[in-house]
Amino acid sequence: MKCEIEFLPVGDASKAGDAIVIRYGEPYDYKLMLVDGGHAKTGEQIVAHLRRFFGPSPVLEHVVLTHADGDHASGLRTVFEQIPVRNLWMHALWLHAEEASPLFANKTTTIESLTRRIKGEYDIVSGVYDLAAEQGCAIRPAFAGSDIGPFRVLSPDLWTYLHLLPQFDKTPDPDQPAIERQGLWIGKSSPATRLFESVKASLQSWTTETWDRERLRDGGITSASNESSVVLYGSFDGGPVLLTGDAGNRGLGWAAEAAVRMGLPLQGFQMVQVPHHGSRRNSGPTMLNRILGPIQPQHGPTRFSAYVSAPADDSKHPRNIVLNAFTRRGGYVIATQGVSKVHWGGFPARPGYSAAGQVPFFDRVEEYT
């Protein structure tokens, strides 16, 4: 089976996001799939793209919402208003309120109240859910082991998701000791913390890096919502592909463990998605070695393609230090940065598309702080 994966350009300045159109099957017998919908205005771009290349009345066999962040969910509202969708795969946060209730700090809150609050705080996601239901679309939970067309969900599993949910920024306060006992404490980021990180990023300092001296570190921490991202593994002609959403080191670790349990090989990918728009908090050397393989000799042949969704003029994404890490391990790194980029995966190239250039190896990278 062939698999064409197109990363549409999403956002500008610091407004990164994801919208990935997938065609799988054969050139004259294929199905369409969409992973994430970017920002609100991305929805119209997705609809126009589908109609331009796949006929005036395209049908999406599957839509996957990897996690609850607005830069992945917002555009899906327009998609469901204008394009027929057969299956929606997502995490409907409020539907897990009862199962997760022991992991919230307030033990007196009713399930009904907790459900209403979570649904209200995540109105974009609940709006997508409601539109899908109105359309008659099948709505399914996207947890480890689920098969979505030719893809297998590696992460998260339901148990892990229930422990992450109270740690999302917009859910009620978590029961920290109960979550810590399971080794799944990540914590919430406060507005003050987010402001501090933003200011720190604006004061970014730089350093040099060589092929033999990697400055990317292990231990980067991203949000619980990011770690809940659906990680997808697909097996196709030419080798497997890995779509990571905004998963960080924890989520990628859970995905790697699941792949081993399921008998799905790592380190032989034809294409991988660079997590979270190339953020340095989402990738570390140890995890990259496990998933992609060890650092290769400099100037050696590329072993896989690595795609990163990032706006054209975002000073924080993608990070040079992350792109270098993928290049070292044999990646042919490609960044959207305002332009649609396609992994053809056996399908013929479309007229008007040209070969994507490789991101260079950078000798000047961000100081890891």
Side-chain angles (χ1 to χ4, degrees), residues 36-38 64-77 80 88-96 118-133 139-140 161 165 168 170 225 228:
D36 290 327
V64 180
L65 174 55
T66 59
H67 62 298
D69 289 356
D71 61 339
H72 293 250
S74 297
L76 293 180
R77 293 176 295 188
F80 276 94
L88 169 63
W89 299 81
M90 63 178 292
H91 302 142
L93 302 80
W94 57 94
L95 297 183
H96 301 288
I118 294 174
K119 189 171 185 179
E121 289 288 353
Y122 289 89
D123 57 319
I124 294 174
V125 178
S126 64
V128 170
Y129 183 98
D130 292 342
L131 284 169
I139 306 174
R140 309 176 189 278
Y161 185 81
L165 179 58
F168 288 9
K170 295 191 289 185
S225 179
S228 77

mmCIF file of all heavy atoms in Angstrom, residues 36-38 64-77 80 88-96 118-133 139-140 161 165 168 170 225 228:
data_model
loop_
_atom_site.group_PDB
_atom_site.id
_atom_site.type_symbol
_atom_site.label_atom_id
_atom_site.label_comp_id
_atom_site.label_asym_id
_atom_site.label_seq_id
_atom_site.Cartn_x
_atom_site.Cartn_y
_atom_site.Cartn_z
ATOM 1 N N ASP A 36 -5.489 16.402 12.280
ATOM 2 C CA ASP A 36 -5.533 17.756 12.830
ATOM 3 C C ASP A 36 -6.003 18.785 11.800
ATOM 4 O O ASP A 36 -5.962 18.552 10.592
ATOM 5 C CB ASP A 36 -4.181 18.161 13.421
ATOM 6 C CG ASP A 36 -3.854 17.403 14.694
ATOM 7 O OD1 ASP A 36 -4.789 17.070 15.446
ATOM 8 O OD2 ASP A 36 -2.663 17.120 14.947
ATOM 9 N N GLY A 37 -6.462 19.929 12.331
ATOM 10 C CA GLY A 37 -7.050 20.942 11.466
ATOM 11 C C GLY A 37 -6.506 22.328 11.641
ATOM 12 O O GLY A 37 -7.052 23.289 11.093
ATOM 13 N N GLY A 38 -5.415 22.484 12.405
ATOM 14 C CA GLY A 38 -4.791 23.791 12.542
ATOM 15 C C GLY A 38 -5.699 24.824 13.198
ATOM 16 O O GLY A 38 -6.587 24.493 13.985
ATOM 17 N N VAL A 64 -8.445 12.541 12.410
ATOM 18 C CA VAL A 64 -7.845 12.308 13.719
ATOM 19 C C VAL A 64 -7.522 13.659 14.349
ATOM 20 O O VAL A 64 -6.819 14.471 13.742
ATOM 21 C CB VAL A 64 -6.551 11.476 13.615
ATOM 22 C CG1 VAL A 64 -5.944 11.253 15.002
ATOM 23 C CG2 VAL A 64 -6.818 10.145 12.930
ATOM 24 N N LEU A 65 -8.044 13.899 15.535
ATOM 25 C CA LEU A 65 -7.643 15.054 16.336
ATOM 26 C C LEU A 65 -6.661 14.542 17.376
ATOM 27 O O LEU A 65 -7.038 13.813 18.292
ATOM 28 C CB LEU A 65 -8.856 15.710 17.003
ATOM 29 C CG LEU A 65 -8.561 16.855 17.978
ATOM 30 C CD1 LEU A 65 -7.734 17.955 17.322
ATOM 31 C CD2 LEU A 65 -9.844 17.412 18.561
ATOM 32 N N THR A 66 -5.392 14.905 17.229
ATOM 33 C CA THR A 66 -4.368 14.278 18.076
ATOM 34 C C THR A 66 -4.484 14.673 19.538
ATOM 35 O O THR A 66 -4.211 13.862 20.419
ATOM 36 C CB THR A 66 -2.951 14.617 17.572
ATOM 37 O OG1 THR A 66 -2.767 16.043 17.574
ATOM 38 C CG2 THR A 66 -2.717 14.056 16.176
ATOM 39 N N HIS A 67 -4.860 15.926 19.823
ATOM 40 C CA HIS A 67 -5.029 16.354 21.208
ATOM 41 C C HIS A 67 -5.837 17.640 21.240
ATOM 42 O O HIS A 67 -6.214 18.168 20.189
ATOM 43 C CB HIS A 67 -3.680 16.507 21.920
ATOM 44 C CG HIS A 67 -2.776 17.539 21.349
ATOM 45 N ND1 HIS A 67 -2.282 17.492 20.062
ATOM 46 C CD2 HIS A 67 -2.242 18.677 21.882
ATOM 47 C CE1 HIS A 67 -1.491 18.530 19.832
ATOM 48 N NE2 HIS A 67 -1.464 19.267 20.920
ATOM 49 N N ALA A 68 -6.097 18.133 22.427
ATOM 50 C CA ALA A 68 -7.137 19.143 22.614
ATOM 51 C C ALA A 68 -6.698 20.583 22.393
ATOM 52 O O ALA A 68 -7.493 21.501 22.606
ATOM 53 C CB ALA A 68 -7.715 19.002 24.033
ATOM 54 N N ASP A 69 -5.487 20.836 21.973
ATOM 55 C CA ASP A 69 -5.029 22.215 21.794
ATOM 56 C C ASP A 69 -5.686 22.859 20.575
ATOM 57 O O ASP A 69 -5.893 22.214 19.544
ATOM 58 C CB ASP A 69 -3.508 22.258 21.642
ATOM 59 C CG ASP A 69 -2.787 21.935 22.949
ATOM 60 O OD1 ASP A 69 -3.474 21.761 23.970
ATOM 61 O OD2 ASP A 69 -1.546 21.863 22.944
ATOM 62 N N GLY A 70 -5.985 24.153 20.693
ATOM 63 C CA GLY A 70 -6.711 24.867 19.659
ATOM 64 C C GLY A 70 -6.011 24.923 18.326
ATOM 65 O O GLY A 70 -6.659 24.975 17.276
ATOM 66 N N ASP A 71 -4.666 24.914 18.324
ATOM 67 C CA ASP A 71 -3.932 25.001 17.058
ATOM 68 C C ASP A 71 -3.974 23.693 16.277
ATOM 69 O O ASP A 71 -3.434 23.602 15.169
ATOM 70 C CB ASP A 71 -2.485 25.440 17.295
ATOM 71 C CG ASP A 71 -1.685 24.495 18.175
ATOM 72 O OD1 ASP A 71 -2.303 23.727 18.927
ATOM 73 O OD2 ASP A 71 -0.443 24.540 18.129
ATOM 74 N N HIS A 72 -4.624 22.694 16.821
ATOM 75 C CA HIS A 72 -4.827 21.435 16.119
ATOM 76 C C HIS A 72 -6.306 21.168 15.869
ATOM 77 O O HIS A 72 -6.641 20.408 14.956
ATOM 78 C CB HIS A 72 -4.234 20.276 16.928
ATOM 79 C CG HIS A 72 -2.748 20.315 17.037
ATOM 80 N ND1 HIS A 72 -1.929 19.413 16.398
ATOM 81 C CD2 HIS A 72 -1.919 21.161 17.689
ATOM 82 C CE1 HIS A 72 -0.661 19.707 16.660
ATOM 83 N NE2 HIS A 72 -0.636 20.764 17.445
ATOM 84 N N ALA A 73 -7.175 21.797 16.656
ATOM 85 C CA ALA A 73 -8.606 21.487 16.597
ATOM 86 C C ALA A 73 -9.444 22.513 15.856
ATOM 87 O O ALA A 73 -10.453 22.163 15.235
ATOM 88 C CB ALA A 73 -9.142 21.331 18.026
ATOM 89 N N SER A 74 -9.066 23.782 15.901
ATOM 90 C CA SER A 74 -9.975 24.847 15.475
ATOM 91 C C SER A 74 -10.453 24.704 14.035
ATOM 92 O O SER A 74 -11.637 24.880 13.734
ATOM 93 C CB SER A 74 -9.304 26.212 15.668
ATOM 94 O OG SER A 74 -9.028 26.452 17.029
ATOM 95 N N GLY A 75 -9.554 24.408 13.120
ATOM 96 C CA GLY A 75 -9.933 24.318 11.714
ATOM 97 C C GLY A 75 -10.859 23.168 11.389
ATOM 98 O O GLY A 75 -11.515 23.170 10.334
ATOM 99 N N LEU A 76 -10.968 22.189 12.277
ATOM 100 C CA LEU A 76 -11.829 21.042 12.012
ATOM 101 C C LEU A 76 -13.297 21.426 11.993
ATOM 102 O O LEU A 76 -14.115 20.727 11.373
ATOM 103 C CB LEU A 76 -11.586 19.942 13.051
ATOM 104 C CG LEU A 76 -10.211 19.263 12.994
ATOM 105 C CD1 LEU A 76 -10.112 18.190 14.068
ATOM 106 C CD2 LEU A 76 -9.942 18.665 11.618
ATOM 107 N N ARG A 77 -13.669 22.526 12.643
ATOM 108 C CA ARG A 77 -15.071 22.944 12.614
ATOM 109 C C ARG A 77 -15.506 23.241 11.183
ATOM 110 O O ARG A 77 -16.581 22.811 10.747
ATOM 111 C CB ARG A 77 -15.265 24.157 13.521
ATOM 112 C CG ARG A 77 -15.067 23.838 15.007
ATOM 113 C CD ARG A 77 -15.167 25.049 15.889
ATOM 114 N NE ARG A 77 -14.081 26.001 15.635
ATOM 115 C CZ ARG A 77 -13.850 27.074 16.390
ATOM 116 N NH1 ARG A 77 -14.638 27.331 17.423
ATOM 117 N NH2 ARG A 77 -12.841 27.879 16.125
ATOM 118 N N PHE A 80 -15.824 19.934 9.085
ATOM 119 C CA PHE A 80 -17.056 19.176 9.308
ATOM 120 C C PHE A 80 -18.291 19.892 8.772
ATOM 121 O O PHE A 80 -19.296 19.248 8.470
ATOM 122 C CB PHE A 80 -17.222 18.856 10.794
ATOM 123 C CG PHE A 80 -16.478 17.630 11.223
ATOM 124 C CD1 PHE A 80 -15.203 17.722 11.756
ATOM 125 C CD2 PHE A 80 -17.025 16.366 11.056
ATOM 126 C CE1 PHE A 80 -14.492 16.595 12.135
ATOM 127 C CE2 PHE A 80 -16.332 15.241 11.431
ATOM 128 C CZ PHE A 80 -15.067 15.340 11.968
ATOM 129 N N LEU A 88 -14.466 9.974 12.980
ATOM 130 C CA LEU A 88 -13.676 10.931 13.753
ATOM 131 C C LEU A 88 -13.056 10.204 14.931
ATOM 132 O O LEU A 88 -13.762 9.556 15.714
ATOM 133 C CB LEU A 88 -14.545 12.087 14.254
ATOM 134 C CG LEU A 88 -13.895 13.030 15.290
ATOM 135 C CD1 LEU A 88 -12.679 13.748 14.691
ATOM 136 C CD2 LEU A 88 -14.913 14.035 15.821
ATOM 137 N N TRP A 89 -11.731 10.333 15.050
ATOM 138 C CA TRP A 89 -10.991 9.727 16.157
ATOM 139 C C TRP A 89 -10.445 10.845 17.027
ATOM 140 O O TRP A 89 -9.729 11.729 16.542
ATOM 141 C CB TRP A 89 -9.851 8.872 15.616
ATOM 142 C CG TRP A 89 -10.307 7.741 14.748
ATOM 143 C CD1 TRP A 89 -10.650 7.807 13.422
ATOM 144 C CD2 TRP A 89 -10.476 6.384 15.142
ATOM 145 N NE1 TRP A 89 -11.013 6.563 12.972
ATOM 146 C CE2 TRP A 89 -10.911 5.676 14.000
ATOM 147 C CE3 TRP A 89 -10.286 5.697 16.335
ATOM 148 C CZ2 TRP A 89 -11.175 4.308 14.023
ATOM 149 C CZ3 TRP A 89 -10.531 4.332 16.367
ATOM 150 C CH2 TRP A 89 -10.978 3.656 15.225
ATOM 151 N N MET A 90 -10.764 10.808 18.318
ATOM 152 C CA MET A 90 -10.370 11.912 19.191
ATOM 153 C C MET A 90 -10.470 11.476 20.643
ATOM 154 O O MET A 90 -10.949 10.389 20.968
ATOM 155 C CB MET A 90 -11.283 13.122 18.952
ATOM 156 C CG MET A 90 -12.745 12.855 19.308
ATOM 157 S SD MET A 90 -13.830 14.285 19.079
ATOM 158 C CE MET A 90 -13.242 15.372 20.364
ATOM 159 N N HIS A 91 -10.024 12.368 21.536
ATOM 160 C CA HIS A 91 -10.219 12.206 22.968
ATOM 161 C C HIS A 91 -11.275 13.220 23.401
ATOM 162 O O HIS A 91 -11.006 14.419 23.444
ATOM 163 C CB HIS A 91 -8.914 12.467 23.732
ATOM 164 C CG HIS A 91 -7.787 11.589 23.309
ATOM 165 N ND1 HIS A 91 -6.484 12.036 23.218
ATOM 166 C CD2 HIS A 91 -7.760 10.281 22.942
ATOM 167 C CE1 HIS A 91 -5.712 11.048 22.826
ATOM 168 N NE2 HIS A 91 -6.452 9.972 22.645
ATOM 169 N N ALA A 92 -12.481 12.759 23.674
ATOM 170 C CA ALA A 92 -13.551 13.623 24.168
ATOM 171 C C ALA A 92 -13.372 13.754 25.679
ATOM 172 O O ALA A 92 -13.860 12.933 26.453
ATOM 173 C CB ALA A 92 -14.920 13.041 23.816
ATOM 174 N N LEU A 93 -12.663 14.788 26.089
ATOM 175 C CA LEU A 93 -12.192 14.909 27.475
ATOM 176 C C LEU A 93 -13.309 14.721 28.495
ATOM 177 O O LEU A 93 -13.138 14.020 29.507
ATOM 178 C CB LEU A 93 -11.551 16.278 27.694
ATOM 179 C CG LEU A 93 -10.374 16.721 26.839
ATOM 180 C CD1 LEU A 93 -10.807 17.224 25.475
ATOM 181 C CD2 LEU A 93 -9.592 17.823 27.552
ATOM 182 N N TRP A 94 -14.444 15.382 28.287
ATOM 183 C CA TRP A 94 -15.533 15.400 29.253
ATOM 184 C C TRP A 94 -16.161 14.025 29.451
ATOM 185 O O TRP A 94 -16.721 13.752 30.502
ATOM 186 C CB TRP A 94 -16.587 16.412 28.815
ATOM 187 C CG TRP A 94 -17.131 16.145 27.448
ATOM 188 C CD1 TRP A 94 -18.259 15.431 27.133
ATOM 189 C CD2 TRP A 94 -16.545 16.526 26.208
ATOM 190 N NE1 TRP A 94 -18.416 15.351 25.764
ATOM 191 C CE2 TRP A 94 -17.386 16.026 25.176
ATOM 192 C CE3 TRP A 94 -15.406 17.261 25.850
ATOM 193 C CZ2 TRP A 94 -17.110 16.229 23.827
ATOM 194 C CZ3 TRP A 94 -15.140 17.461 24.512
ATOM 195 C CH2 TRP A 94 -15.979 16.959 23.509
ATOM 196 N N LEU A 95 -16.042 13.160 28.438
ATOM 197 C CA LEU A 95 -16.609 11.821 28.570
ATOM 198 C C LEU A 95 -15.812 10.947 29.526
ATOM 199 O O LEU A 95 -16.270 9.864 29.907
ATOM 200 C CB LEU A 95 -16.697 11.147 27.198
ATOM 201 C CG LEU A 95 -17.612 11.819 26.168
ATOM 202 C CD1 LEU A 95 -17.646 11.002 24.881
ATOM 203 C CD2 LEU A 95 -19.021 12.007 26.724
ATOM 204 N N HIS A 96 -14.620 11.406 29.898
ATOM 205 C CA HIS A 96 -13.771 10.649 30.821
ATOM 206 C C HIS A 96 -13.776 11.250 32.231
ATOM 207 O O HIS A 96 -12.962 10.856 33.071
ATOM 208 C CB HIS A 96 -12.343 10.595 30.282
ATOM 209 C CG HIS A 96 -12.251 9.952 28.934
ATOM 210 N ND1 HIS A 96 -12.410 8.596 28.737
ATOM 211 C CD2 HIS A 96 -12.036 10.482 27.700
ATOM 212 C CE1 HIS A 96 -12.298 8.325 27.446
ATOM 213 N NE2 HIS A 96 -12.065 9.447 26.801
ATOM 214 N N ILE A 118 -15.356 20.759 32.236
ATOM 215 C CA ILE A 118 -14.357 20.354 31.241
ATOM 216 C C ILE A 118 -14.870 20.636 29.831
ATOM 217 O O ILE A 118 -14.150 21.189 28.987
ATOM 218 C CB ILE A 118 -14.006 18.865 31.402
ATOM 219 C CG1 ILE A 118 -13.287 18.633 32.737
ATOM 220 C CG2 ILE A 118 -13.116 18.403 30.247
ATOM 221 C CD1 ILE A 118 -13.020 17.174 33.049
ATOM 222 N N LYS A 119 -16.131 20.304 29.573
ATOM 223 C CA LYS A 119 -16.682 20.542 28.242
ATOM 224 C C LYS A 119 -16.728 22.027 27.925
ATOM 225 O O LYS A 119 -16.433 22.446 26.802
ATOM 226 C CB LYS A 119 -18.075 19.936 28.130
ATOM 227 C CG LYS A 119 -18.623 19.965 26.709
ATOM 228 C CD LYS A 119 -19.900 19.174 26.579
ATOM 229 C CE LYS A 119 -20.361 19.129 25.117
ATOM 230 N NZ LYS A 119 -21.598 18.344 24.948
ATOM 231 N N GLY A 120 -17.045 22.847 28.920
ATOM 232 C CA GLY A 120 -17.082 24.285 28.701
ATOM 233 C C GLY A 120 -15.711 24.876 28.433
ATOM 234 O O GLY A 120 -15.562 25.767 27.589
ATOM 235 N N GLU A 121 -14.706 24.398 29.155
ATOM 236 C CA GLU A 121 -13.353 24.915 28.954
ATOM 237 C C GLU A 121 -12.782 24.503 27.596
ATOM 238 O O GLU A 121 -11.972 25.214 27.006
ATOM 239 C CB GLU A 121 -12.429 24.415 30.072
ATOM 240 C CG GLU A 121 -12.700 25.043 31.437
ATOM 241 C CD GLU A 121 -12.254 26.495 31.513
ATOM 242 O OE1 GLU A 121 -11.623 26.989 30.563
ATOM 243 O OE2 GLU A 121 -12.561 27.140 32.536
ATOM 244 N N TYR A 122 -13.202 23.342 27.110
ATOM 245 C CA TYR A 122 -12.710 22.851 25.822
ATOM 246 C C TYR A 122 -13.841 22.923 24.790
ATOM 247 O O TYR A 122 -14.185 21.939 24.143
ATOM 248 C CB TYR A 122 -12.147 21.433 25.985
ATOM 249 C CG TYR A 122 -10.853 21.432 26.747
ATOM 250 C CD1 TYR A 122 -10.832 21.329 28.134
ATOM 251 C CD2 TYR A 122 -9.640 21.596 26.093
ATOM 252 C CE1 TYR A 122 -9.631 21.374 28.845
ATOM 253 C CE2 TYR A 122 -8.439 21.634 26.790
ATOM 254 C CZ TYR A 122 -8.452 21.526 28.171
ATOM 255 O OH TYR A 122 -7.267 21.568 28.876
ATOM 256 N N ASP A 123 -14.372 24.141 24.644
ATOM 257 C CA ASP A 123 -15.518 24.339 23.765
ATOM 258 C C ASP A 123 -15.180 24.114 22.292
ATOM 259 O O ASP A 123 -16.038 23.717 21.512
ATOM 260 C CB ASP A 123 -16.106 25.735 23.965
ATOM 261 C CG ASP A 123 -15.079 26.838 23.725
ATOM 262 O OD1 ASP A 123 -13.915 26.692 24.151
ATOM 263 O OD2 ASP A 123 -15.436 27.864 23.110
ATOM 264 N N ILE A 124 -13.928 24.363 21.889
ATOM 265 C CA ILE A 124 -13.556 24.115 20.497
ATOM 266 C C ILE A 124 -13.639 22.624 20.201
ATOM 267 O O ILE A 124 -14.214 22.188 19.197
ATOM 268 C CB ILE A 124 -12.142 24.646 20.199
ATOM 269 C CG1 ILE A 124 -12.114 26.174 20.313
ATOM 270 C CG2 ILE A 124 -11.677 24.207 18.807
ATOM 271 C CD1 ILE A 124 -10.724 26.774 20.172
ATOM 272 N N VAL A 125 -13.086 21.813 21.088
ATOM 273 C CA VAL A 125 -13.100 20.360 20.899
ATOM 274 C C VAL A 125 -14.531 19.827 20.975
ATOM 275 O O VAL A 125 -14.946 19.003 20.150
ATOM 276 C CB VAL A 125 -12.214 19.667 21.948
ATOM 277 C CG1 VAL A 125 -12.272 18.148 21.794
ATOM 278 C CG2 VAL A 125 -10.776 20.146 21.821
ATOM 279 N N SER A 126 -15.298 20.297 21.944
ATOM 280 C CA SER A 126 -16.678 19.831 22.056
ATOM 281 C C SER A 126 -17.509 20.283 20.858
ATOM 282 O O SER A 126 -18.426 19.578 20.423
ATOM 283 C CB SER A 126 -17.316 20.314 23.361
ATOM 284 O OG SER A 126 -17.411 21.723 23.401
ATOM 285 N N GLY A 127 -17.169 21.458 20.292
ATOM 286 C CA GLY A 127 -17.857 21.907 19.085
ATOM 287 C C GLY A 127 -17.595 20.998 17.904
ATOM 288 O O GLY A 127 -18.499 20.701 17.112
ATOM 289 N N VAL A 128 -16.346 20.554 17.753
ATOM 290 C CA VAL A 128 -16.007 19.597 16.701
ATOM 291 C C VAL A 128 -16.789 18.295 16.905
ATOM 292 O O VAL A 128 -17.352 17.725 15.955
ATOM 293 C CB VAL A 128 -14.488 19.327 16.682
ATOM 294 C CG1 VAL A 128 -14.150 18.159 15.750
ATOM 295 C CG2 VAL A 128 -13.727 20.576 16.268
ATOM 296 N N TYR A 129 -16.832 17.833 18.130
ATOM 297 C CA TYR A 129 -17.560 16.610 18.467
ATOM 298 C C TYR A 129 -19.032 16.734 18.078
ATOM 299 O O TYR A 129 -19.611 15.835 17.444
ATOM 300 C CB TYR A 129 -17.425 16.338 19.962
ATOM 301 C CG TYR A 129 -18.057 15.069 20.465
ATOM 302 C CD1 TYR A 129 -17.299 13.920 20.656
ATOM 303 C CD2 TYR A 129 -19.411 15.017 20.770
ATOM 304 C CE1 TYR A 129 -17.868 12.748 21.131
ATOM 305 C CE2 TYR A 129 -19.997 13.853 21.241
ATOM 306 C CZ TYR A 129 -19.223 12.722 21.427
ATOM 307 O OH TYR A 129 -19.798 11.563 21.894
ATOM 308 N N ASP A 130 -19.646 17.866 18.439
ATOM 309 C CA ASP A 130 -21.071 18.065 18.156
ATOM 310 C C ASP A 130 -21.335 18.140 16.652
ATOM 311 O O ASP A 130 -22.329 17.593 16.157
ATOM 312 C CB ASP A 130 -21.574 19.330 18.842
ATOM 313 C CG ASP A 130 -21.597 19.207 20.365
ATOM 314 O OD1 ASP A 130 -21.556 18.051 20.853
ATOM 315 O OD2 ASP A 130 -21.642 20.242 21.042
ATOM 316 N N LEU A 131 -20.461 18.813 15.915
ATOM 317 C CA LEU A 131 -20.632 18.893 14.463
ATOM 318 C C LEU A 131 -20.527 17.508 13.825
ATOM 319 O O LEU A 131 -21.289 17.180 12.905
ATOM 320 C CB LEU A 131 -19.587 19.823 13.862
ATOM 321 C CG LEU A 131 -19.807 21.322 14.047
ATOM 322 C CD1 LEU A 131 -18.548 22.098 13.639
ATOM 323 C CD2 LEU A 131 -21.010 21.796 13.239
ATOM 324 N N ALA A 132 -19.585 16.705 14.303
ATOM 325 C CA ALA A 132 -19.436 15.347 13.783
ATOM 326 C C ALA A 132 -20.680 14.514 14.071
ATOM 327 O O ALA A 132 -21.154 13.756 13.213
ATOM 328 C CB ALA A 132 -18.200 14.685 14.379
ATOM 329 N N ALA A 133 -21.224 14.661 15.276
ATOM 330 C CA ALA A 133 -22.426 13.916 15.642
ATOM 331 C C ALA A 133 -23.612 14.342 14.774
ATOM 332 O O ALA A 133 -24.399 13.496 14.326
ATOM 333 C CB ALA A 133 -22.736 14.137 17.114
ATOM 334 N N ILE A 139 -17.924 8.472 15.860
ATOM 335 C CA ILE A 139 -16.931 9.126 16.717
ATOM 336 C C ILE A 139 -16.309 8.059 17.607
ATOM 337 O O ILE A 139 -17.020 7.382 18.364
ATOM 338 C CB ILE A 139 -17.568 10.240 17.563
ATOM 339 C CG1 ILE A 139 -18.309 11.231 16.657
ATOM 340 C CG2 ILE A 139 -16.494 10.953 18.387
ATOM 341 C CD1 ILE A 139 -19.087 12.291 17.412
ATOM 342 N N ARG A 140 -14.994 7.922 17.520
ATOM 343 C CA ARG A 140 -14.311 6.824 18.179
ATOM 344 C C ARG A 140 -13.153 7.334 19.033
ATOM 345 O O ARG A 140 -12.487 8.295 18.667
ATOM 346 C CB ARG A 140 -13.781 5.836 17.128
ATOM 347 C CG ARG A 140 -14.833 5.386 16.116
ATOM 348 C CD ARG A 140 -14.236 4.484 15.058
ATOM 349 N NE ARG A 140 -15.151 4.210 13.966
ATOM 350 C CZ ARG A 140 -16.106 3.282 13.988
ATOM 351 N NH1 ARG A 140 -16.251 2.538 15.081
ATOM 352 N NH2 ARG A 140 -16.898 3.095 12.951
ATOM 353 N N TYR A 161 -3.935 8.337 29.808
ATOM 354 C CA TYR A 161 -4.687 9.552 29.492
ATOM 355 C C TYR A 161 -5.471 10.054 30.710
ATOM 356 O O TYR A 161 -5.523 11.262 30.963
ATOM 357 C CB TYR A 161 -5.649 9.284 28.330
ATOM 358 C CG TYR A 161 -6.367 10.528 27.872
ATOM 359 C CD1 TYR A 161 -5.744 11.430 27.018
ATOM 360 C CD2 TYR A 161 -7.661 10.816 28.311
ATOM 361 C CE1 TYR A 161 -6.384 12.581 26.610
ATOM 362 C CE2 TYR A 161 -8.307 11.962 27.907
ATOM 363 C CZ TYR A 161 -7.664 12.844 27.050
ATOM 364 O OH TYR A 161 -8.303 13.990 26.655
ATOM 365 N N LEU A 165 -5.132 13.888 32.090
ATOM 366 C CA LEU A 165 -6.255 14.818 31.970
ATOM 367 C C LEU A 165 -6.327 15.851 33.098
ATOM 368 O O LEU A 165 -6.497 17.050 32.828
ATOM 369 C CB LEU A 165 -7.555 14.018 31.867
ATOM 370 C CG LEU A 165 -8.858 14.817 31.749
ATOM 371 C CD1 LEU A 165 -8.825 15.738 30.533
ATOM 372 C CD2 LEU A 165 -10.057 13.868 31.670
ATOM 373 N N PHE A 168 -4.006 18.923 32.559
ATOM 374 C CA PHE A 168 -4.171 19.877 31.464
ATOM 375 C C PHE A 168 -4.358 21.275 32.048
ATOM 376 O O PHE A 168 -4.904 21.449 33.144
ATOM 377 C CB PHE A 168 -5.381 19.524 30.611
ATOM 378 C CG PHE A 168 -5.207 18.300 29.740
ATOM 379 C CD1 PHE A 168 -4.100 17.469 29.863
ATOM 380 C CD2 PHE A 168 -6.158 17.977 28.788
ATOM 381 C CE1 PHE A 168 -3.948 16.349 29.059
ATOM 382 C CE2 PHE A 168 -6.025 16.870 27.985
ATOM 383 C CZ PHE A 168 -4.929 16.047 28.118
ATOM 384 N N LYS A 170 -6.403 23.650 31.467
ATOM 385 C CA LYS A 170 -7.747 24.188 31.663
ATOM 386 C C LYS A 170 -8.678 23.250 32.420
ATOM 387 O O LYS A 170 -9.875 23.547 32.546
ATOM 388 C CB LYS A 170 -8.360 24.565 30.307
ATOM 389 C CG LYS A 170 -7.622 25.701 29.616
ATOM 390 C CD LYS A 170 -8.392 26.246 28.417
ATOM 391 C CE LYS A 170 -8.407 25.286 27.260
ATOM 392 N NZ LYS A 170 -9.067 25.871 26.058
ATOM 393 N N SER A 225 -1.044 18.069 28.060
ATOM 394 C CA SER A 225 -1.867 18.004 26.857
ATOM 395 C C SER A 225 -1.038 17.543 25.661
ATOM 396 O O SER A 225 -1.464 16.682 24.875
ATOM 397 C CB SER A 225 -2.498 19.366 26.566
ATOM 398 O OG SER A 225 -3.271 19.321 25.389
ATOM 399 N N SER A 228 -0.349 13.921 25.672
ATOM 400 C CA SER A 228 -1.516 13.089 25.365
ATOM 401 C C SER A 228 -1.730 12.927 23.876
ATOM 402 O O SER A 228 -2.677 12.253 23.443
ATOM 403 C CB SER A 228 -2.780 13.696 25.991
ATOM 404 O OG SER A 228 -3.256 14.807 25.243
#
